[in-house]
Amino acid sequence: MKIARFSHDDTIAFGIVDEEEHELVVLKADPMFAGYEPTGERVKLTDAKLLAPVIPRSKVVAVGKNYRDHAEEMGGEAPAEPLLFLKPNTSVVGPGDAIVLPRQSERVEHEGELAVVIGRIARNVSEDDAEDYIFGYTIANDVTARDLQQRDGQWARAKGFDSFCPLGPVMETHVDFETATIETRVNGETKQSGRLSDMVHSVASIIAYASSVFTLLPGDVILTGTPAGVGPIVDGDTVEVDITGLGTLSNPVRSAA
């Protein structure tokens, strides 16, 4: 099932995507907290603006070097344990919103990723139980100021600028990890391509590991790593990240005003 957060007639709402009718079945409230009770209203997808499907109330947890080919292109091996870092929730934007290139950086790069949305308070969760804490999945772009990442020696500034975490276009409650692929394109040219099954650390192991460090709250988002092929984006580019069954997250790139 696909869930959208959208704006229509100056109102922000949630809806279930009816793909056959190309409509949104409007829900009474955020389904993460209020369930899937419809209002009886339907909105055409063409009349709605899709927003980031979730705004993390607490944090975005990300995992570095979780595909071996990406670890190799960055000059190292995949870590034996998940390599965690945080992005502020102010970095989140939605589909169609601009990735704004900061003046402080001369090299900003794309990183297409699968994102996991946490649906329940999670602390010291086991791998076997991890799926019970997942509300859904969406697509992310872990935008990175690569020169600042290398200069700083830690990643908070390089990963944390406003607009550096596009999410969308919708949230899906199920992903087939055995068959799903991920692809990132810049101006229509494929830059990254991989399979979700190539992750070094599974979603369940990441949730178990992260929840042993800090409590995960409903609405928290986990970015699960990117395959090889990261590269620069510049003013005027359009970045698209596609994951099987989740759709395509598309964002233009703009220089800071």
Side-chain angles (χ1 to χ4, degrees):
M1 179 170 59
K2 288 183 172 63
I3 304 160
R5 177 173 167 268
F6 66 96
S7 63
H8 178 254
D9 287 344
D10 298 321
T11 300
I12 294 177
F14 291 84
I16 298 170
V17 180
D18 183 336
E19 295 184 275
E20 289 187 0
E21 299 295 332
H22 304 287
E23 292 180 336
L24 292 160
V25 178
V26 182
L27 300 174
K28 288 188 174 181
D30 185 342
M32 185 179 297
F33 302 99
Y36 298 97
E37 186 175 358
T39 64
E41 179 187 5
R42 283 176 170 256
V43 174
K44 293 182 179 180
L45 277 167
T46 53
D47 293 338
K49 174 177 170 50
L50 296 182
L51 307 174
V54 62
I55 298 295
R57 290 158 174 79
S58 172
K59 54 191 171 293
V60 177
V61 182
V63 181
K65 301 180 181 180
N66 198 32
Y67 288 75
R68 283 185 170 71
D69 56 0
H70 174 59
E72 291 172 2
E73 76 174 349
M74 299 302 290
E77 297 181 354
E81 298 178 313
L83 175 61
L84 301 182
F85 61 93
L86 299 177
K87 293 170 78 84
N89 57 8
T90 49
S91 66
V92 172
V93 293
D97 293 335
I99 297 168
V100 180
L101 305 174
R103 297 185 186 90
Q104 298 95 320
S105 175
E106 296 182 356
R107 186 179 178 92
V108 175
E109 297 188 353
H110 59 78
E111 295 190 13
E113 309 199 8
L114 174 73
V116 181
V117 181
I118 296 298
R120 296 168 51 194
I121 295 174
R123 177 64 178 160
N124 291 322
V125 173
S126 70
E127 287 191 35
D128 289 342
D129 294 335
E131 187 173 349
D132 296 337
Y133 293 82
I134 298 171
F135 186 73
Y137 304 87
T138 190
I139 302 171
N141 189 347
D142 177 21
V143 183
T144 304
R146 194 70 68 197
D147 53 348
L148 302 185
Q149 183 184 30
Q150 295 168 350
R151 184 189 311 166
D152 291 352
Q154 53 83 27
W155 301 358
R157 183 167 66 134
K159 301 277 193 176
F161 285 98
D162 290 356
S163 79
F164 270 29
C165 189
L167 296 176
V170 297
M171 185 160 45
E172 171 62 71
T173 55
H174 174 75
V175 171
D176 185 346
F177 283 89
E178 293 302 315
T179 62
T181 60
I182 179 170
E183 179 177 281
T184 304
R185 299 180 294 273
V186 178
N187 303 326
E189 181 180 350
T190 299
K191 299 294 185 178
Q192 295 181 272
S193 182
R195 299 176 299 174
L196 298 187
S197 59
D198 289 338
M199 288 182 194
V200 176
H201 304 289
S202 68
V203 168
S205 66
I206 293 168
I207 291 173
Y209 187 83
S211 70
S212 74
V213 180
F214 33 62
T215 300
L216 301 173
L217 300 179
D220 281 356
V221 173
I222 298 177
L223 310 188
T224 58
T226 194
V230 300
I233 51 178
V234 299
D235 180 58
D237 283 348
T238 297
V239 185
E240 296 174 304
V241 185
D242 183 278
I243 296 180
T244 307
L246 274 68
T248 301
L249 171 65
S250 179
N251 297 92
V253 182
R254 300 288 182 264
S255 294

